[in-house]
Amino acid sequence: MSKKMVAPSILSADFANLENEIKAIAAAGADWVHVDVMDGRFVPNITIGIPVVKSLKKISPLPLDVHLMIEEPERYVEEFIKAGSDYLTIHVESTKDPAQVLKRIRTLGAKAGITLRPGTALEEILPLLPLCDLVLVMTVEPGFGGQSFMHDQVAKITRLRDEIARLRLSCLIEVDGGINADTAKICHQADVYVAGNYVFSQDYATAIQTLQATQPS
Ligand code: DX5
Ligand code: ZN
């Protein structure tokens, strides 16, 4: 079983100290930095935007994995890519034409990701897989860190793994929400773990290495 990748979500980091936090997770062996962008409309919470992504890019030794939880992402993808997003993930529910937005993300030079709310059927995104470099399975309702893992979403990961193999695609599967040492085992078919609370509430290196070494339960 190959080593998993870990993308700590800076939503759980010290926002007054983001440069040090990112350097610390990089030193602790993190693979990517997960950046949660919320607009107060698609989700009830408001977090960070384009200027912060631009500043993070200047100091981050790790790729920026930007998760857009915003309405009409087509209005902003160009700016998020110019700001330095390496992976840019949109919600299938947030736009009328997700295929067009994914194509645009790739044309603008970033890796394209699709994601879905827990209540959205996987069928909504299956036709989009050939346009994606990353598929993000949400295991909490998007909007806040520190929520409990939703076990009923795990079947989506298994199904995606089969579809990606069947279609001979190379997109990565990422899982986000309530990930810790135990829930990571349940999601062992994912390639990338996003973890906020689990990483930032303990020794970063221990948390990151534990997730990277995940084996099936
Ligand atoms: C939720 C965000 C997550 C969140 C994960 O809307 O997409 O990335 O920060 O936090 P934890 O790992 O604490 O559930
Ligand atoms: Zn996220």
Side-chain angles (χ1 to χ4, degrees), residues 23 27 35 104 116 142 154-155 164 166 178 180 200:
K23 288 185 173 156
V35 182
R104 187 120 170 279
L116 70 175
V154 176
I164 288 169
R166 193 177 65 81
N180 58 38
F200 287 98

Side-chain angles (χ1 to χ4, degrees), residues 9 34-36 67 69 136 138 176 194:
S9 163
H34 186 80
V35 182
D36 287 303
H67 176 190
M69 285 160 274
L136 171 58
M138 291 302 300
D176 182 4
V194 175

